Amino acid sequence: MNKAILIGRLTKDPELKFTPSSGIAVANFTLAVDRNYTNQEGKREADFIPVICWRKLAENVANNLTKGRLVAVSGSIQTRKYQAQDGSNRYVTEVVAEEVKFLDWPKDKPQENIPDNFVEVEGEELPF
Amino acid sequence: MNKAILIGRLTKDPELKFTPSSGIAVANFTLAVDRNYTNQEGKREADFIPVICWRKLAENVANNLTKGRLVAVSGSIQTRKYQAQDGSNRYVTEVVAEEVKFLDWPKDKPQENIPDNFVEVEGEELPF
Amino acid sequence: MNKAILIGRLTKDPELKFTPSSGIAVANFTLAVDRNYTNQEGKREADFIPVICWRKLAENVANNLTKGRLVAVSGSIQTRKYQAQDGSNRYVTEVVAEEVKFLDWPKDKPQENIPDNFVEVEGEELPF
Amino acid sequence: MNKAILIGRLTKDPELKFTPSSGIAVANFTLAVDRNYTNQEGKREADFIPVICWRKLAENVANNLTKGRLVAVSGSIQTRKYQAQDGSNRYVTEVVAEEVKFLDWPKDKPQENIPDNFVEVEGEELPF
DNA sequence: TTTT
DNA sequence: TTTT
């Protein structure tokens, strides 16, 4: 069992890339998630949480979200090893999004232009 | 909103420390959380997720958990900046545990010796 | 472990009551939560989930939310027994909210008039 | 967004049925989920939460779980209308399981006889 | 390296 | 640096 649920704002526009071998879409962004309390100076702090998503969801995110947008993300927490420039091993912990719900809209863009308020990861069959 | 829920096994015994200034207990451990699928070689992989907890919960964890124990953890995802040895900034993403539920027990230690199967973060008042 | 997280809209204004003996505030409302798929007629359906909250959170909810508002709720699932009018036992399953995050605002009411975008259940102490 | 995560014990053996028209497997059970506090008499109470699951997961649950087993369930909360015997409308709130993780095993049955500790809802494709 |  |  591995579940993560976040509500926060994109710190930048999402980055869309494609895997070199199979050309699969992958998007990365960071969410600023407000903490539920204020620090000693009375300021509300935030956590800056890296999020990754794949395929149709990645494209939907890259095409419709920009810096500052408010979203809800559900998915799981993943750890990944990578090589730093100096050749040493480094570890990232990030959220792999399965669902991204858009919670606000840019003032200059009418809401009708946004394809979908929710983003299906994969079609779900109903048992009836 | 910032929620994380994990079920996994400790990769090592927890480390208990105390903050230098106020002497508050803090425990760290890593959870190996199985993924719900197998890789190309048919092997089940795991994510290795760092967990931190504070105060009474930290002491309870340090006193009762050891490498290999199965637990459920709920809490939130936090990012933290720290200085690497070379002076550069580094960022960690980890789970701050609010609740740790013990899901199995060492065979050599009778279950009666373990103070509590669940760990209260703070006393909850009932409205009646 | 018992966690529920919902994003949806209030189907009515919240109802605020007080417990007869101790006068503790309790608010009830129902959330319409969209399902992530459409039915055979291509219509998006919703679940109508009863939510209850207590004390300061109940008053905050009753004073600031109205029919149609979008919120995120986190808490736990509770079952409760009650007597129907015919004297038979009936059971309700509902979500006990611990956190309610306001996600939109009425167009006619400036956002500044709303005391708090997030609602603290209880003050959290920081370990530093 | 609609997420529920529970850890608890089955109050009875699961009930397996099949939909009349399409013969799809559906299993029902109730989970006793301990609350994280004790009542005025110092007793730990529980919530009794109805759970439903479908298809392969329903069969896996019916074949491998019995009264008293400890499981973790993740899924969503659903409301359903049905007709009582007196013809009046009644509403149920229940958890639709997407994942059921077995957390203990009957003492008389070796663990090897249980097909799978985790239950895949549907095969997940890896992006590599 | 961070959002409103 | 990883658990069963």
Side-chain angles (χ1 to χ4, degrees), chain C residues 10-124:
Chain C
L10 299 236
T11 61
K12 290 187 185 165
D13 293 356
E15 270 184 69
L16 183 67
K17 292 181 188 163
F18 297 87
T19 59
S21 49
S22 10
I24 294 168
V26 50
N28 285 280
F29 57 91
T30 296
L31 270 193
V33 179
D34 284 346
R35 292 184 177 170
N36 275 357
Y37 51 80
T38 48
N39 63 13
Q40 303 95 313
E41 290 94 47
K43 268 202 350 190
R44 192 89 175 277
E45 292 183 337
D47 289 293
F48 295 94
I49 300 172
V51 179
I52 185 172
C53 52
W54 292 94
R55 299 170 188 272
K56 211 153 44 85
L57 180 55
E59 290 175 352
N60 204 332
V61 155
N63 291 334
N64 294 293
L65 291 178
T66 52
K67 179 182 172 170
R69 292 302 99 222
L70 185 69
V71 296
V73 166
S74 77
S76 59
I77 305 175
Q78 184 181 73
T79 48
R80 207 159 34 85
K81 194 204 244 178
Y82 69 97
Q83 307 264 104
Q85 289 96 311
D86 63 354
S88 65
N89 284 328
R90 218 94 116 213
Y91 299 86
V92 218
T93 305
E94 65 199 345
V95 169
V96 185
E98 278 164 22
E99 195 184 348
V100 177
K101 192 174 169 64
F102 304 161
L103 295 173
D104 68 358
W105 290 268
K107 285 125 223 157
D108 58 317
K109 222 181 163 185
Q111 189 171 329
E112 293 73 59
N113 287 348
I114 286 160
D116 226 348
N117 184 22
F118 86 100
V119 180
E120 265 180 284
V121 190
E122 47 195 284
E124 201 159 319

Side-chain angles (χ1 to χ4, degrees), chain B residues 5 7 34-40 44 70 72 99 101 103 105 116-120 124 126 128, chain D residues 5 7 34-40 44 70 72 99 101 103 116-120 124 126 128:
Chain B
I5 296 134
I7 297 179
D34 284 346
R35 293 183 177 171
N36 275 358
Y37 52 79
T38 48
N39 63 14
Q40 302 96 312
R44 193 89 175 277
L70 184 70
E99 194 184 350
K101 193 175 168 64
L103 295 173
W105 291 269
D116 226 348
N117 183 22
F118 85 99
V119 180
E120 267 179 284
E124 198 160 321
L126 291 188
F128 305 106
Chain D
I5 296 133
I7 297 179
D34 284 347
R35 293 183 177 171
N36 274 358
Y37 50 80
T38 48
N39 64 12
Q40 302 95 312
R44 193 90 174 275
L70 183 69
E99 195 184 349
K101 193 175 168 63
L103 295 172
D116 226 347
N117 183 24
F118 85 99
V119 180
E120 266 179 283
E124 200 161 318
L126 290 187
F128 306 106

Side-chain angles (χ1 to χ4, degrees), chain B residues 76-93:
Chain B
S76 58
I77 304 175
Q78 186 182 74
T79 48
R80 209 161 32 86
K81 195 204 241 176
Y82 71 96
Q83 305 266 102
Q85 289 96 311
D86 62 354
S88 65
N89 284 328
R90 218 94 116 214
Y91 300 85
V92 218
T93 305

Side-chain angles (χ1 to χ4, degrees), chain A residues 65-86:
Chain A
L65 291 177
T66 52
K67 178 179 175 173
R69 292 304 97 224
L70 184 69
V71 296
V73 166
S74 78
S76 59
I77 304 175
Q78 185 181 73
T79 47
R80 210 161 31 86
K81 194 204 243 177
Y82 70 97
Q83 305 266 102
Q85 289 95 311
D86 62 354

Side-chain angles (χ1 to χ4, degrees), chain D residues 49-102:
Chain D
I49 301 173
V51 179
I52 185 173
C53 53
W54 292 94
R55 299 168 187 273
K56 211 154 45 87
L57 181 55
E59 290 175 352
N60 203 332
V61 156
N63 291 334
N64 293 293
L65 292 177
T66 51
K67 178 180 173 171
R69 292 303 100 221
L70 183 69
V71 296
V73 166
S74 77
S76 59
I77 304 175
Q78 183 181 75
T79 47
R80 207 159 35 86
K81 194 203 243 177
Y82 70 97
Q83 305 266 103
Q85 289 95 310
D86 63 355
S88 65
N89 284 328
R90 219 96 115 211
Y91 300 85
V92 218
T93 305
E94 65 198 345
V95 169
V96 185
E98 278 162 24
E99 195 184 349
V100 176
K101 193 175 168 63
F102 305 161

Side-chain angles (χ1 to χ4, degrees), chain B residues 24-87:
Chain B
I24 294 168
V26 50
N28 284 279
F29 57 92
T30 295
L31 269 193
V33 179
D34 284 346
R35 293 183 177 171
N36 275 358
Y37 52 79
T38 48
N39 63 14
Q40 302 96 312
E41 291 94 44
K43 269 202 349 192
R44 193 89 175 277
E45 292 183 337
D47 289 293
F48 296 94
I49 301 173
V51 179
I52 185 172
C53 55
W54 292 95
R55 298 169 190 275
K56 210 154 45 85
L57 181 55
E59 291 175 351
N60 204 332
V61 155
N63 291 335
N64 293 293
L65 291 178
T66 51
K67 178 179 173 173
R69 291 305 96 225
L70 184 70
V71 296
V73 166
S74 77
S76 58
I77 304 175
Q78 186 182 74
T79 48
R80 209 161 32 86
K81 195 204 241 176
Y82 71 96
Q83 305 266 102
Q85 289 96 311
D86 62 354

Side-chain angles (χ1 to χ4, degrees), chain A residues 54-115:
Chain A
W54 292 95
R55 298 169 189 274
K56 211 152 48 85
L57 181 55
E59 290 175 352
N60 204 333
V61 156
N63 292 333
N64 293 294
L65 291 177
T66 52
K67 178 179 175 173
R69 292 304 97 224
L70 184 69
V71 296
V73 166
S74 78
S76 59
I77 304 175
Q78 185 181 73
T79 47
R80 210 161 31 86
K81 194 204 243 177
Y82 70 97
Q83 305 266 102
Q85 289 95 311
D86 62 354
S88 65
N89 284 329
R90 219 95 116 210
Y91 300 85
V92 218
T93 305
E94 65 199 343
V95 169
V96 185
E98 276 162 26
E99 195 183 350
V100 176
K101 194 176 167 62
F102 306 161
L103 295 173
D104 68 358
W105 290 268
K107 285 126 221 156
D108 59 317
K109 223 179 163 187
Q111 190 172 327
E112 293 73 57
N113 287 348
I114 287 158

